[in-house]
Structure formats: structure tokens, C-alpha cells
Amino acid sequence: MNDQPKSAKDVGVLFDVDGTLVDSTYFHTMAWWQAFRQQGLDVPMASIHRHIGMGGDKLLERLLPADSDRDIRATVERAHGSIFSTFWPAIRPFESARTLLQGCVESGLAVALASSANERDLQVLRGILDAEPWIDCATSSADAAESKPSPDILLAALEKLHLKAADVVFVGDSVWDVKAAARLGIETIGLTCGGISAAELFEAGAVEVYSGPRALLHRLDASSIGKLARRIDGAESRGTAPRAPTDNTSA
């Protein structure tokens, strides 16, 4: 993606996409499981799920036998992509995901989708999310030399927004999201809608944890995002922050 920020803003929010804004984590799990099975590899779904959020290359390093050659890895990765695409029609945004992005923008914050999905998948997920008016820019796997838990994709999002780590909050659903952000000193809000427990997200370093976009939206002013918004135009010293929009959508 070659997005350019739509406006210059002093603070912003970085959002993971898969499992955070759209309900796709278990589809990825199924796609990897089927891709492994095509090669005669029996990898438990639970093990796969716990590695979702990593880059595909690092997931394969962890889950394939140590003596697997590059051809097997490439074959499994291609199969995952093909199988995952068959699930596209079933993927839906989480409830209030769009309204959450709108609330951030209306609070004066820049919004970046800090995704490490490939460009084809990201295009589809953005279409499913249907929130373009509230997205300043987005990243894809093409923007990072290394995948999560490396922080490269977050660095790419910061560069596109022209912001520093201290100027943003990251919202993600996996321990790999939290660990990647921690390496840059970025505070992470964890969401459990991707299937990882609050305890695990807190242990990884999340500063707050919510059940999903709707729960975060309802606590937006009190959250780390609200605190960041109060920095705008000295609003923090006045103890006020812009209010989140009323959540009157189903997603």
C-alpha cells in the first residue's frame, strides 16, 4: 500500500487488523492447518492459533520440523494464502470496529492500519472493514524487512504518519503485537477478540485489555487513546477530551 497521510496530526493510533478489527484469526488458523495437512504434517490447531499474529515466515520456523527445506516452507506458505482466500466471503468486521476508528479521528488522532498482511489480503480486509474515511494510511508486508514480533511494521506505520513512538498507542490482539510495540516503547492496548486471554496480553506488556472494539469504544475517553487525545491543543491541562461518537452501527 502506498497510502499517504490525509492530514498532519501530532498524535495517532496504530491498529493491527487481523483479529483486532476483523474476525479473521480462526480462518488463518484453519488455513495454516489445512496447508500443513496437504504436506502430511499434523500440527495441532491450538499450536497454530498461539502463533497467529507472527509473520508467516516466523510461524513456519516455529511449527515446521527443523529439517524442513525451503521448498516445503514456500509450498506451505503459498497454500495458506490460497486457502485463506476461500474464507474471504465469510470474514466480518468486529462490532463497532468502524465506529472506533471514527471516534479516534474525531478526537483529532491520526489512524494507521499497521498490518503485516500481504497487499492482496490487506485490500480485501480494508474492503470488509469499509472504513476508508477514517484511515490515514496503512502498511502491508511489503513495508517490513522482518515480520512480527520484529517492530518493523510499526516503524513503517510511524514513518507514514510522520510520528514518533511516544506520539502513538497501538491496538492489537496477540502477544506478538504487544512484544513488537514494546521494543519501540509504544503502549499497547490489547483486545481478546482474537482469542488470546487478557492475562497473556497483560503478561506480554499490554497497558489495558478490552474484549473487542465495542468495549474499547465505550471506554475511549478513559483509555490510553483518550489520554493521548487530551494532548491535542493542550486539552490535557484542561482535563477534557473529545467524546467518542455514539455507537449506532452493528460493526
Side-chain angles (χ1 to χ4, degrees):
M1 290 291 172
N2 295 314
D3 301 73
Q4 294 298 323
K6 295 173 183 174
S7 60
K9 299 176 183 176
D10 295 328
V11 289
V13 188
L14 313 182
F15 284 92
D16 177 55
V17 179
D18 279 301
T20 298
L21 296 174
V22 298
D23 194 1
S24 55
T25 297
Y26 291 95
F27 292 121
H28 276 297
T29 300
M30 282 290 297
W32 282 116
W33 182 81
Q34 290 185 30
F36 286 129
R37 290 294 298 151
Q38 286 180 4
Q39 298 303 310
L41 299 169
D42 191 7
V43 182
M45 285 192 187
S47 297
I48 297 170
H49 175 256
R50 297 188 67 79
H51 290 85
I52 299 298
M54 275 188 164
D57 57 333
K58 294 184 178 177
L59 180 149
L60 290 170
E61 286 176 10
R62 300 254 185 142
L63 296 180
L64 280 176
D67 59 353
S68 298
D69 60 33
R70 291 184 179 180
D71 288 343
I72 289 293
R73 295 187 182 205
T75 299
V76 172
E77 191 157 19
R78 283 195 301 270
H80 162 266
S82 295
I83 297 165
F84 180 67
S85 69
T86 68
F87 295 126
W88 287 346
I91 297 174
R92 296 290 182 270
F94 284 114
E95 184 178 8
S96 303
R98 298 187 199 99
T99 316
L100 175 60
L101 300 185
Q102 179 186 357
C104 291
V105 169
E106 292 182 355
S107 293
L109 300 161
V111 167
L113 302 184
S115 172
S116 54
N118 64 53
E119 293 194 25
R120 183 186 67 158
D121 284 349
L122 183 59
Q123 270 191 325
V124 171
L125 296 176
R126 288 178 72 162
I128 291 167
L129 187 57
D130 190 23
E132 292 304 305
W134 306 295
I135 298 170
D136 289 288
C137 64
T139 63
S140 72
S141 59
D143 295 303
E146 286 194 45
S147 59
K148 287 184 290 185
S150 166
D152 288 16
I153 207 69
L154 301 181
L155 285 169
L158 290 174
E159 184 176 348
K160 289 191 176 191
L161 290 178
H162 305 293
L163 295 176
K164 298 178 181 179
D167 300 324
V168 301
V169 171
F170 182 40
V171 182
D173 68 289
S174 75
V175 296
W176 316 114
D177 292 328
V178 182
K179 290 181 177 182
R183 291 176 64 176
L184 299 178
I186 297 174
E187 288 190 352
T188 301
I189 295 174
L191 303 182
T192 61
C193 48
I196 301 301
S197 71
E200 290 173 287
L201 293 170
F202 276 127
E203 184 178 0
V207 295
E208 301 164 16
V209 176
Y210 301 89
S211 60
R214 180 178 174 85
L216 174 54
L217 177 68
H218 286 174
R219 295 284 296 165
L220 195 61
D221 288 354
S223 73
S224 293
I225 294 174
K227 180 180 177 181
L228 200 61
R230 288 191 288 275
R231 285 172 47 180
I232 300 170
D233 297 328
E236 185 164 336
S237 65
R238 300 193 297 273
T240 60
R243 295 181 62 82
T246 301
D247 178 23
N248 57 8
T249 70
S250 60

